[in-house]
Amino acid sequence: MSIIIEKFTLKVFNKKNVVGTIGHFIDVTDKINTIVACSSIKKGLANISVSAATASLITVENEPGIAIDLPRLLDTIVPVNRVYQHDNMWHEGNAFAHLKSALLGTNITVPIVSGEIELTNWQRIVLIDFDNKPRIRQIVVGISF
């Protein structure tokens, strides 16, 4: 049996964007598309990450019902008023935010086709900030092509 290994070069374009998180659901799709357009990359993958331990990035239909239903579901799984060891140690009262972020994750990868991120008609990229006070969040977009 022989194994053929092809050499290839992975090219990467990186860009950062800062978002103030007043409110919990923030649609960042247009910001991401602007970054992709500025890269002039027509085909590849966009890895989008929020540099935070108490926020998440997801793709979802961004409409008022989901903005109510998803937090309600997460509050059932990770209630705000439960006693958490993280809070006992750091006294910030935001352990629930760390746990929700861990459940949903802090990054997503989406394809780039014809110079734009490839999403369905209703799908949007949404930053969800779970923390108990407003924050400034940094979104990092890395494009591999």
Side-chain angles (χ1 to χ4, degrees):
M1 182 168 106
S2 62
I3 298 173
I4 299 171
I5 298 175
E6 293 183 33
K7 290 185 178 182
F8 67 94
T9 303
L10 178 65
K11 297 179 182 178
V12 178
F13 171 88
N14 285 306
K15 178 79 173 163
K16 297 178 182 177
N17 194 311
V18 176
V19 177
T21 58
I22 298 171
H24 291 290
F25 269 63
I26 302 162
D27 188 330
V28 294
T29 310
D30 294 338
K31 289 179 185 289
I32 303 304
N33 256 330
T34 298
I35 290 170
V36 170
C38 289
S39 76
S40 299
I41 296 166
K42 300 298 179 198
K43 183 177 170 184
L45 293 173
N47 184 12
I48 307 143
S49 179
V50 59
S51 300
T54 56
S56 292
L57 275 173
I58 63 169
T59 57
V60 69
E61 182 177 348
N62 187 21
E63 55 85 26
I66 294 292
I68 294 169
D69 295 339
L70 185 59
R72 186 181 294 159
L73 171 67
L74 292 171
D75 285 344
T76 301
I77 299 167
V78 184
V80 173
N81 58 358
R82 183 177 286 164
V83 176
Y84 296 101
Q85 295 306 307
H86 175 78
D87 292 337
N88 290 339
M89 181 172 284
W90 297 104
H91 307 290
E92 294 176 324
N94 69 347
F96 65 90
H98 288 279
L99 295 169
K100 290 175 182 181
S101 174
L103 283 173
L104 293 185
T106 58
N107 65 66
I108 60 171
T109 301
V110 295
I112 298 169
V113 177
S114 300
E116 294 183 347
I117 53 176
E118 183 78 3
L119 299 172
T120 65
N121 287 342
W122 302 106
Q123 197 174 19
R124 303 294 288 177
I125 299 172
V126 176
L127 168 66
I128 307 174
D129 197 321
F130 300 110
D131 216 335
N132 53 8
K133 61 183 174 183
R135 299 277 189 174
I136 301 297
R137 300 300 188 182
Q138 181 172 273
I139 297 174
V140 180
V141 180
I143 302 173
S144 304
F145 58 103

